[in-house]
Structures are given as structure tokens and as C-alpha cells.
Amino acid sequence: MRKVRVLPMLKIGASMCFLMASCHSKKPQTPSDKKDDQPIIVDVLVAKAQNVNNIVETNGSIIASEFVELHPEVSGRIIYLNIQEGTIVKEGTVLARVNDADLQAQYAKTKVLLDLAVKTEQRLAKLISINGVNQSDYDTALNQVNSLKADLAYTQVLIDKTVIKAPFSGVLGLRQVSPGAYVTSANIIATIQQVNKLKVDFTLPEEYSNSIRKGSSVEIETDVIKHSRCQAVVVAKEPQINLTTRNLKVRALLPACDVNPGTFVKVYINTGSDKNSIMVPTNAIIPDDKNKKLVVIHGGKSQYTNVETGVRKAGVVEITSGLTEGDTVVVEGVLFARPDKPVKIRSVK
């Protein structure tokens, strides 16, 4: 019988299996891997110290020196109304009256009873001097006189509350009610404001709380008087910083400025001398839970560095630590940069 030699065939099969296993062991490069290897295109800024003034800009509002909403103290029908809208009135001017006919009648009745009680007390006083009446009778008569005097004073207070007077000299606002209207203490009859002296209220970040004090000068600018600023003098500041916003509320007196109460203003505060600092665009800052970060380039790769910020200007912020002059900072393409990944600089700002 003829013998069949299978050894060469086995060798060929083993070689084929080895080649196939080698081919499968090499993973093909996926599109995502190729994408990760590609450098991110960014715009950068070379950090350089520049002169930074310490003029802090914040928002504020103009308020009247005095402002009051005129409410009636008692309910009733208005029988007199003297609200000349937009005119200046003096302190104590009667502006409105509420119907007080019932109180006037009560006052007259109490006055009659008081007159009678006084006469009775006077007769008993003469009799008690000669022991013609008991002491208790005289005490009762005297107590009646004092009680009626108190009732008369109380009624007079109620009558006074029906009269609404100007609490100070100022300008009347728009009238909110008409003659003959029934009003309660919730109704506003009009407003009165002192506009000859204005104030401005503004807030300041807590880091500048020690830079401003009573007597400090600030500058005010409005949309109405752009490129022309008014001077204001700080008169007071809140002793406590707002726990929510971490801002300090400040009030300044504005002696001469042609603006209306309620006007939105820009307030400029000089917090100290000028200094040299590194400034970067605000959009280059990456906020974190605890830190603020910048993306810098070292050796052609992006790196994250923690920084601390200071004064903020329009579109830029001061870097107080974490960055040195000459560092290359990514200002465009920040969100696409990854740690230790290659980058390609498109332009230098």
C-alpha cells in the first residue's frame, strides 16, 4: 500500500493560522483615535504686564433725598383734595381731608359732658372744704373730669388723623385718587419727593470694602449725560456685607446733577494707585468648583494651570497669581483643549 506524507501539509496549515492570528492581533486605527492625535487649532496670547488703573466701575440708582407715599391713616370718604401734580409744596400744607363728621360730633358731646363734670367737681370742692360732702364723692367727680379729658384728647387725635399734610417740603407726584373716593390706609393718595438734593445707591464687591469710606469721592455717569460726569460724596455704607451677593451697599450724596430719581447710573470709584498686571480676556477663564483655570501651552501641548483673579475691566480680568510674563495663554478654542494634547497656534492676539 502507498503511504501518504501529511507533514508538509500540516506545516503549511500552521503557518497560515499564525499569519491569520497576527493579522487579527493588530487593531485597525479608528477615526476617533486619528482625531485625538490631530492638534487642536487655537488662538493664543503672550502674557505681558501692562499698566492697570484701579478705577472700579459698578452700577447704581439715583434716589430722592426724601420720598414718601401719602396714605390716609383712617378710612373714610375724601371731602377735600389739594394735590397739584408736579408742584412744590411746603411742609405742613394740608393736602387732603377725610370725612370726620362723626368724630366732630363725638368731640362736641364729650366737651359738653366735660364742662358739666368740671362744674360738679368745683361745687364738691367747696363743700368738702367745710366737710359738707364725703371724700369718696369728690374723688368720683374728679375722676370723671380726668376721664372725659382723656376721651376728648383721644377724639382730637382721631380728628387729626383725618387730615393729610405734607411731611416735608418737596414735589408732589401724580394724584392716585379723586375727590369723594372712599379710601383706606392701603390707598396711595400721591407721592412727595425732595429732589433738590439727590442720593445715589450702589454696590461694591467686598474686596473693595476698605477702599471706600465716608467722605470719599465717586463719579457718576448716566445715559443722559454721557461723557460728562457728576461728582458725589460718600455719606454712609452698610456695616454688613450682603450674604448672598457678597457686595457692600454704599450711599453717596449728589449735590448738583440734572437727573431724575430712579435713573440708572454708572459709578466709578478710584480704589488706589495704578499698577502693572497681566490681563487676559474673561472668556479664557475656565471656572471650576474651587479654582479658576487657564490653558497654557508648553512644548506644543496644552496644560491647565490654576490662577487667581483681581480687577475686572470690560472684557478682561487681572491675573494676580498662577501666570508669569511670557506664558502662552489659549484665548480661542479653550473648550476643545485637553491636558497634554498637541495644539496648533493659528494666530497670536
Side-chain angles (χ1 to χ4, degrees), residues 139-210:
D139 292 342
T140 301
L142 182 61
N143 182 63
Q144 181 70 12
V145 170
N146 292 333
S147 178
L148 289 171
K149 285 182 178 180
D151 290 342
L152 199 66
Y154 176 71
T155 305
Q156 183 61 56
V157 170
L158 295 179
I159 292 173
D160 292 340
K161 286 185 177 182
T162 63
V163 181
I164 302 167
K165 299 180 180 181
F168 49 79
S169 298
V171 179
L172 290 173
L174 301 180
R175 180 163 53 88
Q176 304 296 321
V177 296
S178 299
Y182 184 87
V183 294
T184 66
S185 58
N187 292 108
I188 300 175
I189 294 178
T191 61
I192 183 171
Q193 303 182 52
Q194 272 189 357
V195 295
N196 55 340
K197 292 182 180 179
L198 298 175
K199 300 174 184 176
V200 55
D201 283 357
F202 60 93
T203 56
L204 198 63
E206 61 179 339
E207 59 188 286
Y208 301 111
S209 59
N210 294 327

Side-chain angles (χ1 to χ4, degrees), residues 22 32 36 46 75 88 123-124 163 193 212 227 292 301 326:
S22 299
S32 61
D36 290 340
V46 178
S75 301
I88 299 176
R123 287 196 300 267
L124 293 179
V163 181
Q193 303 182 52
I212 194 165
H227 311 300
K292 298 174 183 176
K301 294 185 178 181

Side-chain angles (χ1 to χ4, degrees), residues 253-274:
L253 184 64
L254 195 61
C257 199
D258 188 17
V259 290
N260 295 323
T263 301
F264 172 82
V265 296
K266 290 287 186 181
V267 184
Y268 300 92
I269 307 104
N270 190 346
T271 60
S273 58
D274 297 349

